[in-house]
Amino acid sequence: MAVLAIARMGHPVLLAEAQTVDDVQAPEIRRLISDMRETLEQSGGVGLAAPQVHVSRRLFLYSVPPTRSEGPDDPALPVQVIINPELEPLGEETLLRMEGCLSLPGLRGEVPRYRAVRYRGLDENGQQIEGVATGFRAHVMQHEMDHLDGILYPMRMTDMSRMGFDVEMARYGGKA
């Protein structure tokens, strides 16, 4: 396993639509998932998409830490893998949340996301998975899915005055 370099905003891999994973069991995909796990753990983040480690493939890892769980419909989860994911909103309701991103270090911004999404894809063993995500899980899944479509969170923001550096936002109560 290896800790991979994280692409930062400005690198073209982050603006491209990622390619489908054809063979989940391919050695390079197995190694990528393993290396992404280590990279995510080392980074302290809650999600990581393949394009963020310079690999244009449709897969991401995410977790819901106990401190971010929003109750029984949004339980804490260890790192999950979803390959060739599809997300669709359930309803029109959106929520504004502050987001950060490993590809935009030191910055945060308020982003609208759907309250609930239906997801489907493959797990790391190639088994079909599907379900409904709400709360923090829905939010992080939408953020990571955007990476697969070449979208960074500032591109979703509706009020750029709600973006700033972590340190300044903490100092001034989240007001960018």
Side-chain angles (χ1 to χ4, degrees):
M1 294 196 316
V3 174
L4 304 171
I6 295 177
R8 292 187 306 171
M9 185 171 67
H11 193 290
V13 73
L14 296 173
L15 299 176
E17 185 172 338
Q19 302 299 308
T20 300
V21 174
D22 294 321
D23 181 1
V24 172
Q25 299 303 323
E28 64 272 13
I29 297 299
R30 310 299 303 154
R31 186 171 39 260
L32 174 62
I33 292 169
S34 177
D35 291 347
M36 286 177 66
R37 274 186 198 280
E38 186 170 343
T39 303
L40 183 59
E41 181 179 312
Q42 188 270 344
S43 74
V46 295
L48 184 65
Q52 290 183 276
V53 293
H54 304 271
V55 178
S56 186
R57 290 288 177 261
R58 295 190 76 76
L59 73 91
F60 65 78
L61 282 60
Y62 72 95
S63 65
V64 178
T67 57
R68 304 302 290 270
S69 167
E70 296 178 8
D73 291 336
D74 183 37
L77 292 171
V79 173
Q80 308 288 302
V81 177
I82 186 164
I83 301 168
N84 297 330
E86 298 174 23
L87 296 183
E88 67 178 91
L90 290 178
E92 296 297 317
E93 184 181 358
T94 60
L95 301 172
L96 289 172
R97 288 184 198 258
M98 294 303 289
E99 287 188 19
C101 181
L102 297 173
S103 294
L104 286 82
L107 293 171
R108 300 193 68 69
E110 191 174 66
V111 182
R113 299 284 184 187
Y114 290 103
R115 188 188 70 74
V117 295
R118 181 179 314 282
Y119 66 90
R120 54 190 153 270
L122 302 174
D123 69 12
E124 62 188 302
N125 299 310
Q127 299 300 307
Q128 185 72 34
I129 56 172
E130 60 183 74
V132 172
T134 60
F136 183 78
R137 183 180 188 185
H139 190 87
V140 73
M141 290 178 89
Q142 290 171 79
H143 176 106
E144 299 309 327
M145 185 71 174
D146 273 354
H147 280 299
L148 305 185
D149 294 329
I151 299 168
L152 297 172
Y153 78 79
M155 300 159 99
R156 295 267 188 218
M157 291 179 64
T158 56
D159 180 355
M160 293 305 289
S161 75
R162 299 294 298 144
M163 183 177 193
F165 288 98
D166 293 334
V167 173
E168 298 302 317
M169 295 182 86
R171 180 181 298 152
Y172 298 110
K175 296 176 182 167

